[in-house]
């Protein structure tokens, strides 16, 4: 491929977990130089949630962290220390984009909010991703993944027919997953504007709004008709004659969508193994698909497309949701160890020398080990 | 509202091609991607078959006729009806695409082969990855949620798997196609050759559901729907339901909030113990919810930093204080439907929202 779309763009990445860290990961995938900032006192929580052992260096082995942060460089700088804050303001001069999903106010209090950073770099595009957005009475509300299934409306349409609503749950946390798919595109739009006009932007994303946006037609219909009442609808869909998951003779589930009603479908599936039923339905032009699980997905290389890839250490990591010029993702570097590139980046961008780097390390501004206790 | 010319994508021209007989779940993804660009100011021309985009007749329908789905997905666009089965229609399309920056279309479209060669950068929406070589395989929203492993995650383990509400497979792909489209425009804008973009619904669904693969790879066991054994469950309250959600570090605050002596039992103090005794745990949690409203629950929980989620319906979201305060919902004056209220793009850009303009009438 020729020069990548975001070649020459540098990202200062405060993104944590999925919503923030994945937005900057998608920018890295498009060629941006992403430098992720953590600190010994505050790791990306994915390092902790994904803890698989208690041996030395455990914070560098989390699968969830590895999945999301490949192709980034990693710095550890203490954001609570005025010296750490000063280093970050210096770095911001050399960056085009900031991505952050702290609770509102955290970076402002550290002197690292949009106001302070745009003062040193007016071209900066600052993407603030939060639960409820940067304004409004609920701006300080906390949420975690499936909280937003509930408050966005998605849960109200999910569940068995006539029963209580359902959420996607902690192994999916669906609203966290979709925000980066939208936010990345908006950041790119703002970067192209900043190149053209010299002016950056403050981009205020509410994850709850992104999730509600996926129900736009239902909100619109309710505004036109106050009687537009909805409830969990199982696997049915308005405008579709018949649709459900049916259990096959081998106990496996098959999802089927029919243009015309067929009362014999449950019995048809119950009388055959899933693979046999699937082939027969597809041959008749009926949309059918197996309800796969994680192991199935790992096995089916063709179905995976470009969504999974291995890094140079052989670890499985997140690939791409799309392909550019037909190709998938090259993993240029695995997810960084805590503080792995601190010295490299501070030399390269700020010209720090050995004495300065030693002083930062001795005073605890930089580090490669967590200062938090047992987790 | 600022002039359309000052909108961020005002310099760009996009053609969205609706060929006849393309699966609806692909159409919705294409339309969403183009709608986002149109609301941001791009000149989006939607090519429809002579009888109109089938989404014009898709539910939810509006009481005065027309489709809420169509109105939502086609804001701020222009429309032109072309019969792509005829040579004249294809010639007109080719000349329009020649002048555009990007052309969006679906893999099974009859004109796909020629659009892939266009001067405009092609953004192609497909159902399945290239490696499956399955352009003609029947597909639906449900089939994609099944194939991507999402259905396996929702519901009770002993009962059928469930889809998430809404058109999540289509819309996640539509958001992805928008970001791909922006990557192409950024490359063009910087004077580089833009990469072609291909988005398949099946790949997007797996990418969104990545913890299924990462969990299975790490432990050898596929994560799956846990229903009544899940740590996060739904409890009824006085005026509806609330999702009980809290992280490990939020457990002490959660216990204090509920204030039931049974929760002080040491078996609940660590996560493993709470999982082992989940039915008992929820029996102790439930009474606190039963006599309170969603609003009371949210206020009390947020005061302690506990992220419980009251469940709202789309109709209730129209009244949500937070959405009103942020102006997330736009009132759009429609020539035949009166005023429609709908979500705007979920971003504020230097405090500015992007008010959508009504979807186009069908015009030849």
């Amino acid at each position: 491929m020729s020069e990548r779309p975001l070649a020459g763009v540098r990202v200062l990445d405060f993104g944590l977990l999925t919503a923030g860290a994945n937005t900057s990961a998608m920018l890295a995938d498009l060629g941006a130089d992403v430098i992720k900032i953590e600190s010994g006192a505050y790791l990306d929580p994915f390092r902790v949630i994904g803890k698989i052992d208690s041996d030395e260096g455990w914070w560098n082995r989390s699968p969830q962290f590895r999945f999301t942060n490949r192709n980034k460089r990693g710095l550890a700088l203490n954001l609570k220390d005025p010296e750490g804050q000063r280093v970050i303001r210096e770095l911001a001069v050399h960056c085009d984009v900031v991505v952050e999903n702290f609770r509102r106010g955290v970076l402002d209090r550290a002197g690292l909010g949009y106001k302070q950073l745009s003062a040193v770099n007016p071209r900066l595009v600052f993407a603030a991703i939060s639960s409820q957005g940067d304004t409004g009475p609920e701006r300080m509300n906390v949420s975690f993944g499936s909280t937003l299934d509930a408050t966005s409306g998605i849960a109200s349409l999910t569940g068995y027919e006539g029963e209580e609503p359902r959420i996607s749950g902690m192994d999916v946390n669906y609203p966290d997953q979709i925000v980066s798919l939208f936010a990345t595109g908006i950041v790119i739009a703002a970067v192209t504007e900043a190149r053209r006009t010299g002016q950056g932007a403050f981009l205020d994303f509410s994850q709850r709004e992104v999730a509600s946006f996926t129900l736009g037609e239902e909100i619109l219909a309710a505004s036109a008709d106050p009687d537009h009442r909805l409830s969990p609808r199982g696997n049915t869909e308005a405008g579709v004659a018949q649709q459900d998951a049916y259990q096959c003779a081998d106990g496996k589930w098959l999802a089927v969508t029919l243009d015309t009603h067929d009362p014999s479908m449950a019995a048809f599936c119950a009388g055959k193994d899933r693979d046999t039923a699937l082939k027969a339905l597809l041959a008749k032009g009926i949309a059918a698909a197996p309800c796969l699980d994680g192991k199935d997905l790992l096995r089916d290389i063709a179905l995976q497309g470009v969504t999974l890839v291995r890094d140079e250490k052989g670890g499985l990591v997140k690939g791409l949701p799309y392909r550019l010029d037909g190709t998938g993702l090259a993993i240029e570097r695995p997810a960084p160890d805590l503080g792995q590139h601190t010295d490299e980046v501070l030399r390269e961008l700020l010209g720090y020398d050995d004495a300065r780097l030693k002083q930062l390390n001795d005073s605890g501004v930089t580090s490669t080990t967590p200062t938090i206790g047992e987790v | 509202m600022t002039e359309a010319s000052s909108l961020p994508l005002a310099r760009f021209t996009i053609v969205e091609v609706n060929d006849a007989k393309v699966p609806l779940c692909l159409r919705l993804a294409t339309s969403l991607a183009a709608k986002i660009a149109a609301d941001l100011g791009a000149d989006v021309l939607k090519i429809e078959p002579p009888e109109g985009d089938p989404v014009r007749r898709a539910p939810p329908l509006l009481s005065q006729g027309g489709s809420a789905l169509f109105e939502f997905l086609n804001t701020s666009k222009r429309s032109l009806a072309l019969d792509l089965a005829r040579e004249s229609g294809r010639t007109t399309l080719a000349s329009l695409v020649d002048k555009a920056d990007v052309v969006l279309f679906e893999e099974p479209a009859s004109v796909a082969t020629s659009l892939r060669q266009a001067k405009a950068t092609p953004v192609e929406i497909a159902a399945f990855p290239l490696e499956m070589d399955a352009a003609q395989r029947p597909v639906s929203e449900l089939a994609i949620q099944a194939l991507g492993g999402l259905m396996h995650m929702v519901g009770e383990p002993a009962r059928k798997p469930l889809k998430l509400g809404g058109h999540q497979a289509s819309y996640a792909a539509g958001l992805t196609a928008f970001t791909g489209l922006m990557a192409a425009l950024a490359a063009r804008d910087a004077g580089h050759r833009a990469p072609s973009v291909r988005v398949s619904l099946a790949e997007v669904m797996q990418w969104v559901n990545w913890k299924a693969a990462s969990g299975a790879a790490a432990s050898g066991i596929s994560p799956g729907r846990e229903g009544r054994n899940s740590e996060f469950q739904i409890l009824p309250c006085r005026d509806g339901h609330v999702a009980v959600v809290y992280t490990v570090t939020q457990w002490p605050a959660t216990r204090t909030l509920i204030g039931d002596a049974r929760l002080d039992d040491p078996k609940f103090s660590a996560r493993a113990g709470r999982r082992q005794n989940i039915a008992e745990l929820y029996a102790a949690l439930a009474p606190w919810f039963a006599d309170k409203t969603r609003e009371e629950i949210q206020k009390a929980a947020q005061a302690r930093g506990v992220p419980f989620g009251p469940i709202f319906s789309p109709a209730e979201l129209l009244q949500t204080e937070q959405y009103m305060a942020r102006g997330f919902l736009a009132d759009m004056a429609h020539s035949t439907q009166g005023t429609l209220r709908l979500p705007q793009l979920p971003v504020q850009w230097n405090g500015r929202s992007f008010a959508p303009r009504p979807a186009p009438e069908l015009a030849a």
Side-chain angles (χ1 to χ4, degrees), chain A residues 102-323:
Chain A
F102 284 117
R103 201 173 179 197
R104 303 319 309 145
V106 168
L107 283 181
D108 294 318
R109 282 196 299 277
L112 301 171
Y114 178 64
K115 216 173 240 172
Q116 294 109 334
L117 295 188
S118 63
V120 296
N121 180 359
R123 291 174 58 251
L124 206 57
V125 170
F126 193 105
I129 300 169
S130 63
S131 170
Q132 302 285 335
D134 191 52
T135 59
E138 294 187 34
R139 71 186 284 269
M140 295 308 289
N141 278 16
V142 291
S143 68
F144 184 76
S146 277
T147 306
L148 299 175
D149 282 280
T151 58
S152 68
I154 294 176
S156 75
L157 304 179
T158 303
Y160 295 101
E161 296 93 325
E163 298 184 18
E164 76 278 11
R166 299 244 168 196
I167 53 178
S168 63
M170 71 186 318
D171 288 326
V172 182
N173 280 340
Y174 184 76
D176 281 351
Q177 308 308 324
I178 55 175
V179 64
S180 56
L181 295 175
F182 173 72
T184 305
I186 298 291
V187 168
I188 298 169
V191 167
T192 59
E193 273 294 88
R195 277 180 181 158
R196 194 171 68 92
T197 64
Q199 284 301 310
F202 179 70
L203 304 174
D204 169 16
F205 296 96
S206 151
Q207 285 186 247
R208 182 186 178 191
E209 289 175 2
V210 173
S212 285
F213 183 71
T214 71
L215 303 175
E217 67 277 5
E218 301 294 356
I219 295 171
L220 193 157
S223 88
D225 176 7
D227 293 330
H228 184 71
R229 287 278 176 272
L230 298 161
S231 53
R233 43 174 78 158
N235 291 318
T236 66
E237 197 178 321
V240 174
Q242 183 178 332
Q243 180 171 272
D244 211 342
Y246 299 96
Q247 197 162 25
C248 298
D250 53 5
K252 295 176 176 173
W253 294 93
L254 187 63
V256 182
T257 303
L258 294 165
D259 294 334
T260 52
H261 189 60
D262 179 356
S264 69
M265 186 50 61
F268 172 84
C269 292
K272 292 181 170 54
D273 283 353
R274 183 167 71 186
D275 287 351
T276 310
L278 173 64
K279 277 194 191 114
L281 293 173
L282 288 176
K284 283 195 254 183
I286 292 168
C291 296
L292 300 181
D293 65 19
K295 282 160 83 173
D296 297 326
L297 297 175
L298 289 175
R299 270 192 297 264
D300 195 334
I301 302 298
L303 176 63
Q304 276 171 25
V306 294
T307 61
L308 292 173
V309 55
R310 290 192 181 273
D311 66 23
E312 65 192 29
K313 295 179 182 169
L316 196 65
V317 303
K318 201 183 277 190
L320 294 177
Y322 45 36
R323 63 184 87 202

Side-chain angles (χ1 to χ4, degrees), chain A residues 73-118:
Chain A
R73 295 194 280 179
L75 277 66
L77 283 165
N78 188 349
L79 303 188
K80 290 188 175 159
D81 187 304
E83 195 56 21
Q85 297 165 0
R86 210 167 70 83
V87 174
I88 287 172
R89 278 191 293 272
E90 287 181 35
L91 284 172
V93 173
H94 301 273
C95 291
D96 304 282
V97 177
V98 169
V99 174
E100 65 109 345
N101 63 324
F102 284 117
R103 201 173 179 197
R104 303 319 309 145
V106 168
L107 283 181
D108 294 318
R109 282 196 299 277
L112 301 171
Y114 178 64
K115 216 173 240 172
Q116 294 109 334
L117 295 188
S118 63

Side-chain angles (χ1 to χ4, degrees), chain B residues 255-275:
Chain B
R255 186 177 52 200
T256 308
L257 169 69
I258 304 295
D260 189 304
R262 286 175 288 178
L263 297 175
D264 299 332
D265 190 312
K267 70 185 170 194
F268 296 132
S269 60
R271 184 175 175 206
R274 292 195 293 276
R275 284 184 67 90

Side-chain angles (χ1 to χ4, degrees), chain B residues 141-162:
Chain B
E141 165 79 30
L142 189 78
I144 296 293
Q145 288 203 25
L147 216 51
L150 192 63
M151 289 182 72
H152 184 70
M153 311 300 279
V154 186
E156 293 295 328
R159 297 173 67 187
K160 70 183 180 187
L162 291 171

